[in-house]
Amino acid sequence: RSDADVDYTFGQVEIREPVIHYSGLCGNISSGVGPYAIEAGLVKVEEPITIVRVNNTNTNQIFVVEVPVCKGKPKISGDHAIDGVPGTGAKLNIDMVGTIGSTNGQLLPTGKAKDKVSVDGAGEIELSIVDVANPCIFVNAEAIGLQGTENPAEFNNNKGVIKILEHIRAVGAEMLGMENWKEATVRDPNPFVAFVSPPQDYTNHLTGAKISASEVSFLSRLLFLGTMHQTYAGSISVVTGSAAVIPGTVVNDVAQLKEGGLIRIGHPGGAIDVEAVSEVNSAGEVNLSRIVYT
């Protein structure tokens, strides 16, 4: 593509089966594409920031990596820390605004900020499907009998709730128009599903540190391949932050947002920041101009 500097294909390797999924992208691994492109001499280097436009061949969409550079090389050392990631390093930003609508081209694939569906074991519940980088289905923790502060150890033993969430994934996959959706929900991480709740005090299960409700915009827990994610997936932080600024979504309902566009998502291993800049036009449509995570 003439509007991209490099192509990038991502494969999600199963740990229990000899299967590789190519249906979406990984936000965390995407952060390595820009520095590698510089190291490999694939792009022109500019200091202090080199912009690398990456074509994700999985969805044929472009995201932008802002790589800090020093003396012609990607800057590695720094004091930036991310909860759940050991040590510190240089701060690298990724803007995913170009990955809106990876499934059908729409930020809201169903055309609605919120839908009502019937789910085995939970009855009729409200959910929101938002698509940035990867499609994700959001439900309120209370709607499935949870508080929202659960950690992986206690959640992963709750087979009944996991079954409900997997059913929600199946329903969402069908709403997204996926073929063979029953098989897709078992053998493919897409679509993802997360449950959210208002800001609450909780404990970082990795460090034991106490986190105050005042430190986060809301809480979210992510189901990933049948269990709770130990922290939070980078690509899903982007779609979650986007959902938070879209009026009427399940996430927006619980979020306590502040001016400036910075959203702090409380997850089991701490919190992650997302910058989501949006505008709502006269027709009530949401336009996102910047969706960045670090």
Side-chain angles (χ1 to χ4, degrees), residues 116-151:
K116 286 186 177 181
V117 299
S118 181
V119 177
D120 291 347
E124 187 175 74
I125 66 170
E126 293 182 324
L127 58 78
S128 295
I129 303 180
V130 183
D131 188 355
V132 180
N134 288 308
C136 188
I137 306 160
F138 298 97
V139 296
N140 191 303
E142 187 177 344
I144 54 174
L146 298 176
Q147 183 175 344
T149 58
E150 289 79 7
N151 63 44

Side-chain angles (χ1 to χ4, degrees), residues 1 4-8 33-34 37 42-43 52-57:
R1 290 181 54 164
D5 299 309
V6 294
D7 285 348
Y8 158 59
V33 178
L42 299 177
V43 296
V52 183
R53 299 168 299 172
V54 181
N55 173 35
N56 173 40
T57 63

Side-chain angles (χ1 to χ4, degrees), residues 19-278:
V19 176
I20 303 177
H21 305 295
Y22 294 100
S23 61
L25 64 79
C26 172
N28 294 327
I29 303 303
S30 296
S31 65
V33 178
Y36 174 78
I38 294 172
E39 292 278 9
L42 299 177
V43 296
K44 180 181 178 181
V45 180
E46 295 184 4
E47 297 189 22
I49 300 292
T50 295
I51 302 298
V52 183
R53 299 168 299 172
V54 181
N55 173 35
N56 173 40
T57 63
N58 302 71
T59 60
N60 195 33
Q61 294 178 310
I62 290 178
F63 60 86
V64 178
V65 187
E66 302 167 1
V67 185
V69 174
C70 182
K71 298 180 180 180
K73 297 289 186 179
K75 188 176 179 182
I76 304 301
S77 61
D79 58 5
H80 186 70
I82 299 175
D83 288 347
V85 179
T88 61
K91 184 178 180 180
L92 179 150
N93 289 333
I94 302 180
D95 189 347
M96 288 283 187
V97 74
T99 66
I100 290 174
S102 66
T103 51
N104 68 357
Q106 301 298 315
L107 176 63
L108 299 174
T110 70
K112 301 177 183 178
K114 196 180 295 175
D115 291 276
K116 286 186 177 181
V117 299
S118 181
V119 177
D120 291 347
E124 187 175 74
I125 66 170
E126 293 182 324
L127 58 78
S128 295
I129 303 180
V130 183
D131 188 355
V132 180
N134 288 308
C136 188
I137 306 160
F138 298 97
V139 296
N140 191 303
E142 187 177 344
I144 54 174
L146 298 176
Q147 183 175 344
T149 58
E150 289 79 7
N151 63 44
E154 59 186 333
F155 173 84
N156 292 340
N157 289 323
N158 195 335
K159 303 303 181 183
V161 171
I162 292 175
K163 185 176 181 179
I164 290 172
L165 286 170
E166 287 290 7
H167 187 190
I168 290 171
R169 279 216 314 136
V171 171
E174 186 175 40
M175 294 169 73
L176 285 164
M178 292 183 174
E179 296 181 6
N180 302 318
W181 60 266
K182 288 184 179 180
E183 179 179 348
T185 57
V186 174
R187 299 177 63 87
D188 195 323
N190 273 328
F192 290 82
V193 62
F195 57 92
V196 298
S197 61
Q200 304 171 67
D201 296 342
Y202 65 104
T203 301
N204 181 328
H205 83 106
L206 298 175
T207 66
K210 303 296 182 182
I211 301 174
S212 169
S214 62
E215 298 179 52
V216 297
S217 305
F218 58 93
L219 304 187
S220 186
R221 304 291 188 262
L222 176 66
L223 186 71
F224 183 73
L225 298 177
T227 61
M228 180 183 287
H229 199 291
Q230 296 290 313
T231 54
Y232 212 71
S235 64
I236 305 305
S237 71
V238 176
V239 66
T240 304
S242 301
V245 299
I246 301 174
T249 67
V250 170
V251 185
N252 182 258
D253 288 347
V254 301
Q256 295 184 13
L257 304 177
K258 299 178 180 179
E259 294 184 7
L262 187 65
I263 300 160
R264 193 157 174 78
I265 304 167
H267 59 69
I272 187 168
D273 294 336
V274 176
E275 178 189 355
V277 180
S278 66

